[in-house]
């Protein structure tokens, strides 16, 4: 078994002005691992995920991708060359809560865009990849549709296809179903499940605890800017040790039936 | 009404009107193009996080938007030279006034356009590995331009019309020639009708093409 981590975080801190959101996080992901991150609203789950692919700049700490430290040390200060960040983002695909599809491009163009602009593919090659990825998320019928005409669930599946087209080593999902109508959640979760079966490495921020339980190999409860409790889904979601985790889960199950 | 229009006065003097039209075009196109470029730069300054920069450009924009254009042109011809100690030709004063006026209006159009594009668009582009410049070129600007096109078309038309004000500082453009001819021949009806018609011919194709382009760009809505 390959035990080299794909992604490693060391001593991560993140503050917005004087608001200290992440307070020292150490973490690593190995190939094939699926990590679910849960926690209260405003606890910093999105911020954590966004620090990994440098959508936010770190206040402190190190990110390592494929055993390479991101950033360049210069006179004792660390700088992040754009070229390196672009390569990191290409390797860590991200799917957003709000999809962030390009509204002026068709579904097919959305998926082809990164291949052409970033990877330098020819139109034909990009087209072939986009067709394949859209088939995978079940949207072969929608090639020429405009994103604005699709349902939320379809838009999110296009966004997943767009991320997949770049052949990322890790996929980062930030609450991919939170802005969807309840009846559309299933179609997106099924796609994510299918990616799990392929053995992809994934990090998922979610409020769908039931899905997290079946999906994850590891569950993290984030609170007070640290990883408060980490373990298998059974450990964290069924038999949490810490009172804070128990309290969080109790509030979730309050209205369960 | 027993007035008999005689349009031979127009056909006899068409070369004069044509010369006026040429001057109109010479003021109009450069001042709209330079005004747009300058306006884009001002929009960047308005969006800047440096307070002194965004505030001072705001003052600039408001000065031009909240005073009559006629005053602005006259001011650049009669008052501005006193300030800089150098006489300007009527043409240069008109060009300067129209360019700066356009830049003030255009900067607000650009600023609104850039701000209206959701932050998520830049992130969506970066998340697939695009550089900032690639994201601007491929994702942000196409959407900004599409949104701004109606406003920019309007501005372009406004400037064409505003250029006729340059006649008051005796720039020899179309309106000036028209007024001169009509007072020389006492034939204001024929000549001013012809002048209005020429303005229409000048401006309408632009409106028409912009409408078509807008429809084409709106197909993704
Ligand atoms: N760009 C920003 N500027 C200032 N504060 C921010 C910024 N982004 C996030 N924050 C703050 O950081 C904290 C963590 O936010 P974050 O979005 O990471 O929480 P979250 O766990 O994802 O919450 P949710 O479940 O609501 O999505 C919040 O208090 C938020 O207000
Ligand atoms: Mg969040």
């Amino acid at each position: 078994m390959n035990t080299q981590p794909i992604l490693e975080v060391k001593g991560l801190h993140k503050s917005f002005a004087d608001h200290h959101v992440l307070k020292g996080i150490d973490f690593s992901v190995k190939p094939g691992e699926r990590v679910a991150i849960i926690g209260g609203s405003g606890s910093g789950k999105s911020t954590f995920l966004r620090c990994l692919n440098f959508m936010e700049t770190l206040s402190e700490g190190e990110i390592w991708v494929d055993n390479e430290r991101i950033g360049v040390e210069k006179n004792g200060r660390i700088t992040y060359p754009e070229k390196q960040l672009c390569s990191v983002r290409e390797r860590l695909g991200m799917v957003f809560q709000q999809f962030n599809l390009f509204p002026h491009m068709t579904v097919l163009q959305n998926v082809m865009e990164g291949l052409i602009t970033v990877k330098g593919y020819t139109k034909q090659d990009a087209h072939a990849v986009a067709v394949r990825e859209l088939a995978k998320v079940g949207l072969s019928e929608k090639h020429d549709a405009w994103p604005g005409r699709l349902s939320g669930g379809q838009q999110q599946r296009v966004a997943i296809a767009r991320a997949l087209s770049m052949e990322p080593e890790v996929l980062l999902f930030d609450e991919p179903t939170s802005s969807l109508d309840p009846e559309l959640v299933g179609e997106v979760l099924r796609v994510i499940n299918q990616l799990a079966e392929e053995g992809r490495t994934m990090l998922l921020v979610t409020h769908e605890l039931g899905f997290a339980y079946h999906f994850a190999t590891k569950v993290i409860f984030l609170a007070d800017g640290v990883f408060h409790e980490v373990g298998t889904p059974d450990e964290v979601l069924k038999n949490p040790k810490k009172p804070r985790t128990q309290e969080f889960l109790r509030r979730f199950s309050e209205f369960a039936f | 009404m027993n007035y008999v229009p005689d349009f031979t006065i127009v056909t006899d003097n068409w070369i004069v009107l044509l010369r006026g039209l040429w001057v109109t075009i010479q003021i109009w196109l450069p001042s709209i193009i330079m005004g747009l470029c300058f306006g884009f730069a001002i929009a960047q300054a308005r969006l800047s996080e440096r307070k002194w920069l965004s505030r001072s450009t705001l003052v600039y924009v408001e000065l031009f938007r909240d005073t009559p254009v006629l005053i602005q042109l006259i001011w650049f011809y009669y008052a501005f030279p006193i300030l800089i100690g150098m006489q300007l030709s009527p043409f240069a004063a008109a060009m300067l006034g129209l360019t700066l006026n356009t830049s003030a209006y255009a900067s607000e159009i650009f600023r609104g356009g850039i701000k209206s594009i959701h932050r998520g668009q830049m992130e969506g582009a970066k998340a697939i590995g695009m550089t900032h410049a690639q994201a601007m070129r491929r994702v942000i600007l196409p959407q900004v331009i599409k949104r701004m096109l109606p406003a920019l078309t309007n501005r372009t038309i406004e400037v064409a019309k505003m250029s006729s004000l340059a006649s008051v500082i005796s720039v020899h453009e179309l309106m000036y020639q028209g007024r001169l001819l009509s007072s020389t021949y006492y034939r204001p009806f024929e000549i001013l009708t012809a002048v209005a018609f020429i303005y229409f011919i000048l401006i309408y194709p632009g409106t028409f093409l912009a409408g078509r382009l807008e429809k084409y760009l709106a197909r993704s809505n």
Side-chain angles (χ1 to χ4, degrees), chain A residues 42 44-47 97 174-175 205 207:
Chain A
K45 306 179 298 293
S46 299
T47 305
Q97 186 177 344
D174 188 0
E175 300 198 37
V205 170
H207 289 294

Side-chain angles (χ1 to χ4, degrees), chain A residues 153-182:
Chain A
Q154 291 170 329
Q155 290 188 50
Q156 191 60 296
R157 287 186 283 148
V158 176
I160 293 173
R162 182 175 71 179
L164 288 176
S165 73
M166 302 303 286
E167 294 178 20
E169 296 163 43
V170 181
L171 281 165
L172 311 174
F173 291 91
D174 188 0
E175 300 198 37
T177 58
S178 292
S179 58
L180 300 181
D181 291 338

Side-chain angles (χ1 to χ4, degrees), chain A residues 69-127:
Chain A
R69 162 110 198 247
I70 306 308
V72 178
E73 189 129 5
K74 230 189 201 167
N75 314 327
R77 287 191 58 207
I78 193 99
T79 60
Y80 300 101
E82 185 175 35
K83 224 175 130 195
Q84 198 183 26
L85 296 191
C86 288
S87 134
V88 169
R89 291 178 187 136
E90 214 182 314
R91 284 180 283 170
L92 310 180
M94 183 169 240
V95 175
F96 302 88
Q97 186 177 344
Q98 299 299 339
F99 330 131
N100 295 345
L101 293 177
F102 308 134
H104 58 304
M105 299 181 192
T106 63
V107 164
L108 199 62
Q109 288 168 338
N110 262 276
V111 183
M112 289 167 64
E113 180 59 31
L115 295 168
I116 293 172
T117 306
V118 178
K119 286 201 192 286
Y121 279 31
T122 62
K123 267 207 163 136
Q124 287 96 314
D125 291 349
H127 187 271

Side-chain angles (χ1 to χ4, degrees), chain A residues 20 31 34 58 61 95 118 120 123 129 164 169 206 224 234 254 256:
Chain A
H20 200 168
R34 293 185 298 279
L58 321 181
V95 175
V118 178
K123 267 207 163 136
V129 174
L164 288 176
E169 296 163 43
T206 188
D224 290 331
D234 272 315
E254 205 172 344

Side-chain angles (χ1 to χ4, degrees), chain A residues 50 53 55 82 86 89-90 92-94 96 100-105 113-114 117-118 146 149 162 166, chain B residues 118-121 123-134 137-139 142-143 146 219-221:
Chain A
R50 293 161 56 80
N53 68 348
M55 286 291 162
E82 185 175 35
C86 288
R89 291 178 187 136
E90 214 182 314
L92 310 180
M94 183 169 240
F96 302 88
N100 295 345
L101 293 177
F102 308 134
H104 58 304
M105 299 181 192
E113 180 59 31
T117 306
V118 178
W146 299 101
R149 301 267 168 84
R162 182 175 71 179
M166 302 303 286
Chain B
H118 190 260
R119 181 173 86 122
Q121 286 296 305
E123 295 190 344
K126 286 195 172 168
I128 50 174
M130 284 197 204
T131 62
H132 186 86
Q134 286 171 334
R137 184 166 54 79
R138 299 286 308 167
V139 176
Q143 296 182 63
K146 177 175 139 185
R219 72 205 190 286
S220 65
N221 293 347

